[in-house]
Amino acid sequence: MNENTLFECDKSNIANTYARYGVAFVGGKGSTLIDINGKEYIDCATGIGVNAFGVNDEAWKNAVINQINQIQHVCNLYYSKPQAELAKLLCEKTNAKKIFFANSGAEANECAIKTARKYSSSRYGEQRYEIITLKNSFHGRTMATLTATGQPNFHKHFNPFLQGFKYAEATMDGIWKQYTDKTCAVMMELIQGESGVNALDKEFVKQVEKFCKERDILLIIDEVQTGNGRTGYLYAYQGFDISPDIVTTAKGLGNGLPIGACMMFEKCENTLTYGDHGSTFGGNPVACAGAISVIERLNDHLLLEVQGKGAYLKAHIERIKNVKSVSGMGLMIGIETDKNAKEIAEQCLKRGLVVLTAHQKVRLLPPLIINKTEMDVAIRILNEVIGQ
Ligand SMILES: *Cc1c(COP(=O)(O)O)cnc(C)c1O
């Protein structure tokens, strides 16, 4: 199949839910991707923050292939070693007490929503089910997580949406306005990814934590995108110096295989009990074996490197003409310009650089292992495209 026949085959058989760029990636190594015509690209997208250790990573491949050679799936009626080991690792590296494994970010958030509702309803009655999320948030595409997403644009076509979600401005005043005696949780991204790589104010986050603690409201941090080393912390909440009750993650955790995790901390570790939740594929042993090789390598040394690389990129991108601001943390970077972000992304692709957009911004989520030479190529191409 050549490029054109692939595009045609896709267009006539795949649901029209994606506006694809005209590129088909077929391989690569590390931070380099190769398309169907053999052209090479520097990858600053990692399949939306997924391929954290790049493409064709040896350690991850070995872990995955080794597991495939043993058994590819164990349903959750039985014990599975990779799942237990990954959960142990995650609990050790955070203060989480229990992990529920799902297959995606949205599913991890579904589990968080169910946990928060059960936690509150079993203590304070069935009426305490409201969850406050933030305006401009993004929490996923399932009905519950779509409702949780605080952007009116997403709340079309699919009525009725779920009850019990309220959208607050990212200020204490905003939280107070949405708070009622029905509130059971506050759910937020610490750096809003999809809507423009905007970090929340640290002081605000601390205040929300206090607000929640005082009222026995669960604090849910959605780290589907910010998690797994992306921000230069294993989980971004560790850089915000807070103790959440639930942390959800996905994207980078599997380095390309579908996996999501809902990490429950002390307060709600025993909230979900037998029969409350489940998944056929959740915690798949192959995905878990790969994730173990990801989490094991995200040590302090690598996390410091991520912080350093983020600072390097930020400093150089800020100097590019027409760049108005650079936001984000670690290797999660948003670039504000006067130009159309989608057009910038198209121009970058032509020159061999893969970038993402986030609303009006250009978004960079390079592999955590990107090196200086590769970053310099990315900076040069961004300079050519944005700086003109
Ligand atoms: C991507 C994302 C999700 C949804 O994850 P899926 O794996 O696509 O379901 C949820 N929350 C945040 C913050 C995300 O970036």
Side-chain angles (χ1 to χ4, degrees), residues 48 50 103-109 137-142 145 149 187-194 222-226 248-251 259-260 332 363 365:
I48 319 192
V50 170
N103 308 288
S104 65
E107 279 186 34
N109 285 338
S137 58
F138 180 80
H139 297 295
R141 297 289 197 156
T142 61
T145 58
T149 293
M187 175 165 164
M188 55 198 200
E189 303 154 88
L190 294 173
I191 303 168
Q192 295 186 326
E194 187 273 344
D222 178 345
E223 297 234 30
V224 171
Q225 191 165 155
T226 54
T248 59
T249 195
K251 291 192 167 88
I259 184 168
M332 179 170 179
R363 174 172 44 157
L365 301 172

Side-chain angles (χ1 to χ4, degrees), residues 114-379:
K114 285 176 77 173
T115 304
R117 285 188 168 177
K118 188 178 175 201
Y119 177 88
S120 245
S121 73
S122 58
R123 279 175 181 71
Y124 306 102
E126 289 289 326
Q127 285 311 301
R128 205 169 116 142
Y129 58 75
E130 283 180 357
I131 297 177
I132 298 174
T133 67
L134 297 184
K135 292 188 174 161
N136 291 316
S137 58
F138 180 80
H139 297 295
R141 297 289 197 156
T142 61
M143 285 307 294
T145 58
L146 202 54
T147 312
T149 293
Q151 302 184 52
N153 207 22
F154 285 93
H155 300 161
K156 302 184 298 196
H157 311 309
F158 312 119
N159 276 316
F161 287 86
L162 265 71
Q163 286 185 356
F165 286 91
K166 295 193 150 186
Y167 315 107
E169 299 283 351
T171 61
M172 277 321 288
D173 205 38
I175 298 286
W176 270 109
K177 279 201 180 116
Q178 302 307 329
Y179 166 70
T180 69
D181 56 7
K182 291 182 174 179
T183 307
C184 76
V186 173
M187 175 165 164
M188 55 198 200
E189 303 154 88
L190 294 173
I191 303 168
Q192 295 186 326
E194 187 273 344
S195 71
V197 197
N198 294 311
L200 297 184
D201 177 61
K202 219 171 165 178
E203 202 41 49
F204 165 68
V205 174
K206 293 284 266 183
Q207 282 172 357
V208 174
E209 179 194 32
K210 185 160 173 274
F211 180 91
C212 288
K213 285 227 157 65
E214 285 168 359
R215 290 163 184 80
D216 201 18
I217 290 169
L218 295 191
L219 177 59
I220 305 170
I221 303 297
D222 178 345
E223 297 234 30
V224 171
Q225 191 165 155
T226 54
N228 316 300
R230 176 55 52 193
T231 65
Y233 295 89
L234 183 58
Y235 292 97
Y237 82 85
Q238 294 165 327
F240 278 73
D241 202 20
I242 52 163
S243 315
D245 299 302
I246 299 177
V247 172
T248 59
T249 195
K251 291 192 167 88
L253 178 60
N255 197 49
L257 285 177
I259 184 168
C262 177
M263 306 198 260
M264 302 158 212
F265 291 62
E266 197 158 7
K267 244 186 198 182
C268 55
E269 65 168 309
N270 296 315
T271 296
L272 294 186
T273 54
Y274 169 66
D276 283 336
H277 202 36
S279 167
T280 299
F281 289 118
N284 169 274
V286 181
C288 284
I292 289 170
S293 100
V294 169
I295 295 297
E296 270 179 345
R297 281 181 285 166
L298 291 173
N299 54 29
D300 289 346
H301 176 71
L302 194 139
L303 294 173
L304 274 178
E305 276 186 8
V306 169
Q307 292 179 14
K309 291 174 193 180
Y312 182 81
L313 280 172
K314 187 165 188 267
H316 284 79
I317 294 166
E318 272 170 349
R319 276 185 229 144
I320 295 174
K321 202 175 125 209
N322 301 326
V323 168
K324 290 169 72 185
S325 71
V326 182
S327 62
M329 216 170 135
L331 286 173
M332 179 170 179
I333 294 171
I335 309 170
E336 185 192 4
T337 74
D338 279 331
K339 301 184 172 189
N340 179 297
K342 275 257 144 45
E343 274 167 27
I344 293 173
E346 295 275 9
Q347 290 298 319
C348 286
L349 264 184
K350 285 207 181 100
R351 289 171 157 86
L353 175 67
V354 191
V355 301
L356 297 162
T357 63
H359 285 202
Q360 266 62 265
K361 289 192 191 170
V362 174
R363 174 172 44 157
L364 308 183
L365 301 172
L368 307 183
I369 45 105
I370 192 168
N371 66 31
K372 183 166 177 300
T373 314
E374 293 155 347
M375 288 193 287
D376 286 341
V377 174
I379 291 161

